[in-house]
Structure formats: C-alpha cells, structure tokens
Amino acid sequence: MMTFICYAKCNTCKKAQAWLTAQGKEFEVRDIKEQNPSEAELRTWHDRSGLPLKKFFNTSGLQYKALDLKTRLPGMTEDEQFALLASDGMLVKRPILLAGDRVLVGFKEAEWAEVLG
C-alpha cells in the first residue's frame, strides 16, 4: 500500500491525489500538518529518493520565507536541516509518495507515471 503525504489545502497535492485516483492506484493519505514526518522518516525518505536534501524543503511556503531559509540553509549542517524539517510539516515539500522502496517528492506527472507504471 502506498502512502500519499500531503496538505489538504495544497493545489498540487489535490492534483496529485486526483491523478492517483484516476490511475486506479490504492493509497492511504497522511496529512503532513497533522502528522509531521519524524527526523528518522525524513532521513530514510531522503536516502531512498536520491534527491539533494534541499529538494525536501517547501521553498514556496510561508514558513520557509519567514525563517529566511534561502539565506540560512547553505550554512546549516545536514543534521540541522533534518531537525528543522522534522520540527514543522509545513516546511516539507509536498506531496510525498511512498511507493515501496521509492520516494517521490513533489508532483511531476511524467515521473510518477514512469515509477508507478
């Protein structure tokens, strides 16, 4: 069973969820604001995704801007970045799809179609 991690008010999440449903995929939904990812989860997802850690930050979010992370992130250690991401689900890029050993961050229809077949 896949896990779809999203924020209900996010338009990209709505689009991704509609796409998954249209493809007939079964998944459980996890609200990122209600169930913030733990640091351990984030580390595992980061390893499985193959993406740079910066890709896990919601760079268009209000919290990202309020904390001036564009300026601060380059000077932070990886441990500090994981701790920060785990402190507030709204800092985490979404949606995140956990599909077996694959982790997809953000919704790119072509990428999701390729991975999910």
Side-chain angles (χ1 to χ4, degrees):
M1 173 71 74
M2 293 187 293
T3 302
F4 179 70
I5 302 166
C6 64
Y7 176 54
K9 296 179 182 177
C10 169
N11 286 330
T12 303
C13 291
K14 290 176 188 176
K15 183 178 176 182
Q17 188 167 358
W19 183 86
L20 285 170
T21 301
Q23 302 304 309
K25 303 296 183 186
E26 291 186 24
F27 56 94
E28 63 181 32
V29 176
R30 175 176 163 183
D31 187 305
I32 201 162
K33 190 169 183 171
E34 301 298 320
Q35 289 182 284
N36 191 46
S38 70
E39 191 171 331
E41 286 177 315
L42 289 161
R43 287 180 182 277
T44 298
W45 300 345
H46 174 245
D47 286 343
R48 290 183 181 166
S49 73
L51 296 170
L53 185 54
K54 186 179 188 319
K55 294 287 188 183
F56 277 80
F57 281 89
N58 178 14
T59 58
S60 60
L62 296 175
Q63 281 294 88
Y64 185 89
K65 293 172 184 171
L67 295 172
D68 191 29
L69 293 179
K70 181 178 182 180
T71 304
R72 293 179 50 212
L73 270 185
M76 295 174 72
T77 67
E78 196 171 88
D79 287 342
E80 290 169 332
Q81 291 180 45
F82 277 117
L84 184 60
L85 283 169
S87 74
D88 185 347
M90 299 308 286
L91 287 172
V92 181
K93 180 149 180 96
R94 56 201 179 258
I96 297 175
L97 185 67
L98 309 178
D101 64 348
R102 297 294 306 266
V103 175
L104 302 175
V105 180
F107 179 58
K108 296 181 186 94
E109 186 175 329
E111 178 187 10
W112 285 37
E114 180 182 321
V115 170
L116 301 178

